[in-house]
């Protein structure tokens, strides 16, 4: 597998942001694999942002090393014509510790 130069990596990152959700999921039976690229881009987006890396629920820095990215509006809740750039916009992403991420997705807690 060849390594890409920084310019080529940046071009690849921009390409994913221009694709639509439909181009990833339409006609595919197993969405977990298809959504993994979208999740990787989401992580890159929030890591490159100026946002503090801390759980948005408990604000406890004890879990900073294992934080997960959560989409406020879920990937599959988006319109098929939405671009990955729209879905992974910084305003739609938050850091959560694993416990609060699971609890939020189960509806046990809510973010304010």
């Amino acid at each position: 597998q060849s390594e890409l130069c920084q310019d080529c990596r940046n071009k690849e990152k921009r390409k994913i942001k221009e694709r639509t959700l439909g181009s990833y999921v339409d006609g595919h039976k197993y969405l977990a694999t298809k959504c993994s690229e979208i999740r990787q881009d989401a992580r890159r987006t929030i890591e490159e942002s100026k946002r503090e890396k801390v759980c948005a629920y408990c604000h406890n820095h004890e879990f900073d090393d294992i934080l997960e990215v959560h989409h406020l509006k879920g990937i599959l809740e988006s319109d098929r014509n939405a671009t990955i750039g729209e879905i992974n916009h910084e305003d739609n992403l938050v850091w959560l510790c694993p416990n609060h991420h699971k609890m939020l997705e189960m509806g046990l807690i809510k973010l304010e």
Side-chain angles (χ1 to χ4, degrees):
Q1 198 172 34
S2 65
E3 284 291 315
L4 297 174
C5 69
Q6 186 63 39
D7 286 341
C8 293
R9 278 195 300 274
N10 289 337
K11 284 178 189 172
E12 288 300 311
K13 286 183 207 176
R14 284 192 296 276
K15 274 189 201 176
I16 188 174
K17 293 195 180 299
E18 296 166 1
R19 288 183 62 184
T20 63
L21 177 61
S23 73
Y24 275 94
V25 300
D26 287 348
H28 293 96
K29 187 174 179 181
Y30 303 105
L31 297 181
T33 304
K34 293 296 170 188
C35 291
S36 69
E37 283 184 53
I38 298 170
R39 288 186 184 98
Q40 288 172 4
D41 179 69
R43 185 167 195 90
R44 236 185 342 262
T45 299
I46 198 168
E47 283 176 345
E48 292 172 356
S49 76
K50 303 243 185 264
R51 184 168 308 157
E52 181 182 12
K53 190 172 183 181
V54 65
C55 177
Y57 187 80
C58 67
H59 308 285
N60 185 341
H61 282 285
E62 182 180 350
F63 303 106
D64 289 0
D65 291 339
I66 58 171
L67 289 177
E68 299 174 351
V69 180
H70 174 74
H71 287 84
L72 297 172
K73 179 179 180 181
I75 295 170
L76 298 178
E77 293 173 11
S78 298
D79 183 90
R80 298 275 196 228
N81 294 319
T83 65
I84 304 310
E86 294 167 337
I87 294 167
N88 285 345
H89 190 277
E90 180 182 338
D91 293 340
N92 191 41
L93 305 173
V94 293
W95 290 112
L96 288 172
C97 61
N99 286 341
H100 288 133
H101 194 187
K102 184 69 171 174
M103 291 172 75
L104 183 67
E105 290 188 345
M106 292 176 68
L108 299 173
I109 60 172
K110 293 184 184 215
L111 288 175
E112 298 199 12

